[in-house]
Amino acid sequence: MISTDRIERIKEREGSRLVVSLRRLFAKPFGFHWTNKDTSFYDGKDIWVKYDLQTGNHREFTDVELRALRHGHGVHEAGHSEFDYLQAYIDWQKEMNATCNKDWKENLKYPLSWLQFFGNMALDGRMERLIVLKSPNQQPYLDLNNYDWRFGHREKGMGEDLVNDFRSCYAHRVLGMTDLSLWQEEAVALVDSVQHLVEEIRTAPTTALCLAHVTALIQEVWPTLLEWMDIDLDDLDEEEDPFKNDEQSSDMTSGQWADSEEEAMSRSVEILERVTSTEDSSDDPTEEEGAATPSEPSQEEQEEKRKEEVKQMLDKLAKIIVKEAKEVEQELIDSADYRMRATFSGNDGKEVSATVELTDYPEPSLQQYKDSFQHVRRYVKPVAKQLESLLEGEPEQVRRNVRSGRFMPNQAWRAIHCDDSNVFQKHNPGVPKKDAFIGCMTDISGSTYTRLQTGNTIVEEMRRSLTLLLEASHSIHLPSEAYAFTEKEVDYTKEYYTHIFRLKPKATLFTESNRAAIGGITHSEGNRDTVALNFLLEQVRKRSEGIRLAIMLSDGEPIFERNEGPETIEKMVKQAEKEGIDVLCLFIGNHSEYTVERVKSMYPGRVIFAQKGIASELQKHVKRIIRSRR
């Protein structure tokens, strides 16, 4: 069952969870928003995380991967607030930005697009390293972002152009990523020549010092890059800018990060000093004189380790997502109004769908409930006692002095001297205590206004039956839920929705408002039992109790749409039984032979006929369930 409400609620829940995670990790306070701009960013006040990260420039991501990517984007942006000082970056760009072609020709200043490329990558690499030093469990999230999202199809175009290979290699090295084998040797060699500066960039204690190392690196590689770019410096017009069309993409172009350089530096230095102190005080025997130095893991080994860490992270996240989805679904079911699509298999195996409108019952009546309760009051304790037997265990038993079983050595004398063969014992392990759950769905269609021979309407008997079941369950603390349903046309549109009303939607609560909702139910319009039963079974499937009962209160006159029929319900019942759910039909109505046979076919061996006595019939079926479970 899906709905736009559900999608928005899950999105809201994900955002709330991400905010909590980020505020635990980082000291600087900030607001949080989803955005659909080109990338995530931090504006100095709020973090904006791109929600729809699936684009045509990336491989296809699973929902779990997209969730992990959004988390990684949030961590990345919050990292800027913790470890970077934006004003230092702005000042550096102003100082190093070429104002004319002569500046970059003479290797003094550089085009803005290239400054931003070198600077953005450098600050990202330094900042993400600090994040991981502070919180190592964030590494898989950042790795997934860097390897699978940041560069799009990472290997595309590699090995074809020296400049692109250099840019890719520099970005990988400064981000702490493993190399690609596709890069051309000359491009890798150029990065190798400044690798010492790459390490200085990654370990710099301040934003300003990091950028000073970036300046030194650019000065080293710029002449070679100009050669590779094959720009004719002699024929170039002084006003012509060969870099004006270069792409500039940054999440660091506006706002404020850390409040001051001193604040960012203190947080960075604190982490770096802690890591250095830990390394210096290591008791690793390999550091002792004469000890063998362990070899560095190969690139393949590093890549395998990274993939395994990402896989473990995604597996854990998948469990969280499933749990949250269930919680959100239940929140929506318990809330005021909720519309969803119900789907199930029709007679020919094709999918059938219907719209379900889930609401509170509009006209409750506590007095009518009290009247119903008075009619069934004397049955509550007997039914409760029988239901309670669902929960009872059987103690283990040890029978001694029997003719077979386990021999008792201390009784051997009896066999020898008294010719008594009753010298064995038998151990019966017993049955542990069970837990159980009951879910009820009540038909309140127009046909339930029909009167029985007793003079009562069917819906009155249904109200009493539901009251008996829920009061008996509540008295022994057996969790239960209850709903009612009817089919209605939507505003003369010829479109029909199944309206499901919450009577008792929370399993362990039975309030006055729940009782009033049950008391208020009365006949309404149509009844598409297939949709209502599907909804009920979905609720029961969510329960973890050892014994789960799904009870349909019906008059045996369902309305079937195209591709539906009695066999559709029969198939649902049999499938539920395979899943360990016992489905009963509490059938109330004038029992013509045709109707009785049809109800029996829909709920084979699981029909309770109300006119034979609700309490006694219910107890009989509960006994049968107990026997099958023992």
Side-chain angles (χ1 to χ4, degrees):
M1 297 184 180
I2 58 172
S3 75
T4 54
D5 289 342
R6 181 177 183 271
I7 292 170
E8 287 302 313
R9 191 74 66 91
I10 288 175
K11 183 176 178 181
E12 179 185 334
R13 176 73 70 90
E14 180 185 341
S16 300
R17 187 182 184 93
L18 181 53
V19 167
V20 171
S21 298
L22 296 179
R23 287 176 180 167
R24 285 175 180 168
L25 282 171
F26 302 102
K28 188 176 175 67
F30 46 76
F32 175 85
H33 308 278
W34 294 119
T35 182
N36 281 320
K37 291 188 176 181
D38 291 341
T39 188
S40 305
F41 59 95
Y42 174 62
D43 64 9
K45 180 182 177 183
D46 296 336
I47 287 173
W48 300 76
V49 174
K50 181 174 174 61
Y51 188 79
D52 186 7
L53 292 169
Q54 184 66 71
T55 75
N57 296 322
H58 296 86
R59 67 171 177 82
E60 194 75 22
F61 295 115
T62 66
D63 289 341
V64 178
E65 287 174 326
L66 288 170
R67 174 75 171 263
L69 287 169
R70 289 190 287 266
H71 178 96
H73 273 236
V75 170
H76 177 96
E77 299 309 326
H80 284 309
S81 75
E82 184 97 345
F83 301 118
D84 285 319
Y85 180 50
L86 179 60
Q87 192 58 48
Y89 183 48
I90 294 173
D91 292 345
W92 177 76
Q93 288 185 71
K94 288 179 179 178
E95 178 186 354
M96 299 305 301
N97 184 24
T99 57
C100 61
N101 291 343
K102 181 181 178 182
D103 289 339
W104 56 261
K105 285 180 182 179
E106 296 181 2
N107 201 11
L108 299 174
K109 297 182 180 182
Y110 308 96
L112 181 61
S113 60
W114 276 93
L115 278 179
Q116 290 187 342
F117 165 71
F118 279 109
N120 290 352
M121 287 299 173
L123 292 183
D124 280 357
R126 169 185 174 271
M127 176 267 294
E128 289 188 356
R129 176 176 179 270
L130 288 167
I131 290 174
V132 173
L133 290 175
K134 181 178 183 180
S135 181
N137 60 356
Q138 300 305 312
Q139 181 76 68
Y141 293 97
L142 297 175
D143 278 347
L144 187 67
N145 265 324
N146 288 333
Y147 284 90
D148 293 78
W149 195 87
R150 180 188 284 264
F151 301 102
H153 297 284
R154 191 162 58 101
E155 297 184 353
K156 185 178 181 181
M158 294 299 99
E160 300 174 3
D161 180 87
L162 282 171
V163 174
N164 286 341
D165 284 2
F166 168 83
R167 287 168 67 97
S168 178
C169 184
Y170 166 76
H172 278 62
R173 295 281 183 87
V174 84
L175 289 168
M177 299 168 64
T178 55
D179 286 359
L180 286 173
S181 60
L182 299 174
W183 295 325
Q184 297 179 65
E185 291 182 2
E186 297 96 321
V188 176
L190 184 58
V191 178
D192 285 341
S193 70
V194 291
Q195 185 61 35
H196 62 291
L197 290 171
V198 170
E199 296 304 320
E200 295 286 354
I201 286 168
R202 285 175 51 79
T203 58
T206 68
T207 304
L209 189 55
C210 171
L211 293 170
H213 294 311
V214 174
T215 300
L217 184 146
I218 300 176
Q219 289 172 341
E220 290 288 329
V221 301
W222 186 250
T224 304
L225 290 175
L226 279 181
E227 290 180 13
W228 290 348
M229 284 185 276
D230 195 24
I231 299 174
D232 192 337
L233 302 181
D234 295 330
D235 294 341
L236 186 67
D237 190 289
E238 193 60 33
E239 299 298 322
E240 184 181 355
D241 184 359
F243 305 103
K244 66 181 180 180
N245 294 322
D246 284 7
E247 291 184 8
Q248 300 177 31
S249 178
S250 173
D251 61 344
M252 304 182 289
T253 54
S254 64
Q256 180 85 2
W257 299 340
D259 293 333
S260 67
E261 179 73 309
E262 291 75 18
E263 179 191 53
M265 180 178 68
S266 66
R267 293 171 183 165
S268 305
V269 170
E270 179 186 353
I271 292 174
L272 293 171
E273 286 181 345
R274 187 175 71 240
V275 173
T276 303
S277 175
T278 303
E279 292 173 348
D280 291 344
S281 61
S282 172
D283 295 326
D284 190 341
T286 59
E287 296 183 6
E288 297 179 5
E289 187 175 352
T293 303
S295 60
E296 287 290 325
S298 67
Q299 184 171 321
E300 290 76 14
E301 290 172 333
Q302 293 179 52
E303 186 68 9
E304 285 301 315
K305 181 183 177 183
R306 179 190 71 81
K307 289 180 178 179
E308 180 58 30
E309 289 176 345
V310 169
K311 180 181 180 301
Q312 291 176 2
M313 175 270 291
L314 292 174
D315 288 344
K316 291 179 182 178
L317 191 58
K319 294 178 182 177
I320 293 172
I321 292 173
V322 169
K323 180 182 177 183
E324 284 187 358
K326 289 181 178 178
E327 290 173 351
V328 167
E329 192 74 42
Q330 196 58 49
E331 286 174 8
L332 290 168
I333 288 171
D334 294 342
S335 63
D337 294 297
Y338 177 36
R339 183 174 295 175
M340 68 188 86
R341 293 293 293 175
T343 58
F344 51 89
S345 177
N347 290 348
D348 59 3
K350 294 182 180 179
E351 186 178 272
V352 176
S353 66
T355 300
V356 172
E357 188 86 43
L358 188 63
T359 62
D360 294 329
Y361 196 76
E363 298 179 12
S365 173
L366 185 57
Q367 183 57 51
Q368 198 155 249
Y369 180 87
K370 291 177 179 178
D371 293 341
S372 295
F373 179 69
Q374 290 304 318
H375 282 88
V376 299
R377 188 171 194 164
R378 66 183 183 276
Y379 298 120
V380 170
K381 285 186 178 180
V383 171
K385 185 177 180 180
Q386 201 64 53
L387 288 174
E388 195 168 24
S389 61
L390 281 172
L391 310 177
E392 291 177 352
E394 293 179 0
E396 65 178 24
Q397 296 176 343
V398 177
R399 297 178 60 198
R400 300 180 185 278
N401 300 321
V402 291
R403 288 182 175 274
S404 63
R406 183 177 179 181
F407 176 66
M408 297 185 293
N410 64 333
Q411 298 294 317
W413 63 273
R414 294 175 56 185
I416 297 171
H417 300 289
C418 303
D419 195 24
D420 184 356
S421 60
N422 295 326
V423 290
F424 299 91
Q425 71 176 17
K426 280 188 175 179
H427 176 258
N428 296 324
V431 179
K433 183 176 181 180
K434 280 282 189 179
D435 50 2
F437 169 79
I438 295 178
C440 300
M441 179 64 73
T442 306
D443 172 14
I444 55 170
S445 59
S447 58
T448 62
Y449 193 59
T450 304
R451 292 194 178 274
L452 301 169
Q453 294 176 358
T454 59
N456 297 326
T457 62
I458 293 175
V459 75
E460 285 177 312
E461 291 295 337
M462 286 183 168
R463 191 186 308 121
R464 293 174 184 178
S465 301
L466 196 56
T467 300
L468 170 60
L469 280 168
L470 298 180
E471 288 289 354
S473 300
H474 183 66
S475 68
I476 59 171
H477 309 291
L478 195 160
S480 60
E481 294 178 6
Y483 304 88
F485 76 100
T486 189
E487 192 88 358
K488 289 185 177 182
E489 184 180 5
V490 183
D491 300 328
Y492 306 101
T493 61
K494 301 297 182 182
E495 183 178 5
Y496 289 83
Y497 288 176
T498 294
H499 290 255
I500 294 180
F501 301 105
R502 303 180 194 89
L503 305 180
K504 182 182 180 295
K506 295 188 177 181
T508 57
L509 294 180
F510 198 17
T511 64
E512 292 294 277
S513 61
N514 297 150
R515 290 181 170 92
I518 295 167
I521 60 173
T522 188
H523 65 285
S524 186
E525 297 183 29
N527 59 312
R528 194 172 172 186
D529 285 29
T530 50
V531 179
L533 178 59
N534 178 74
F535 176 88
L536 176 63
L537 293 176
E538 287 296 320
Q539 305 319 304
V540 178
R541 285 187 178 102
K542 296 173 185 177
R543 305 297 302 189
S544 59
E545 285 81 2
I547 296 175
R548 296 171 292 171
L549 301 182
I551 301 179
M552 282 286 288
L553 284 78
S554 172
D555 66 354
E557 299 292 340
I559 295 174
F560 295 116
E561 295 293 328
R562 183 185 304 174
N563 203 23
E564 297 174 11
E567 57 273 25
T568 311
I569 292 179
E570 180 186 2
K571 185 163 54 176
M572 288 183 182
V573 171
K574 289 182 176 179
Q575 178 59 39
E577 289 177 351
K578 290 179 182 179
E579 299 171 24
I581 300 171
D582 292 281
V583 185
L584 304 179
C585 176
L586 182 53
F587 173 39
I588 302 171
N590 294 312
H591 303 157
S592 69
E593 185 176 347
Y594 170 78
T595 302
V596 169
E597 290 304 314
R598 186 163 72 157
V599 173
K600 285 181 177 180
S601 71
M602 290 188 289
Y603 301 89
R606 300 301 178 96
V607 180
I608 303 173
F609 292 110
Q611 289 183 349
K612 293 182 181 179
I614 300 170
S616 61
E617 285 295 319
L618 181 60
Q619 291 175 53
K620 182 179 75 175
H621 281 271
V622 169
K623 285 179 182 178
R624 181 186 53 74
I625 292 167
I626 293 169
R627 285 197 301 270
S628 68
R629 296 290 179 179
R630 292 298 186 226

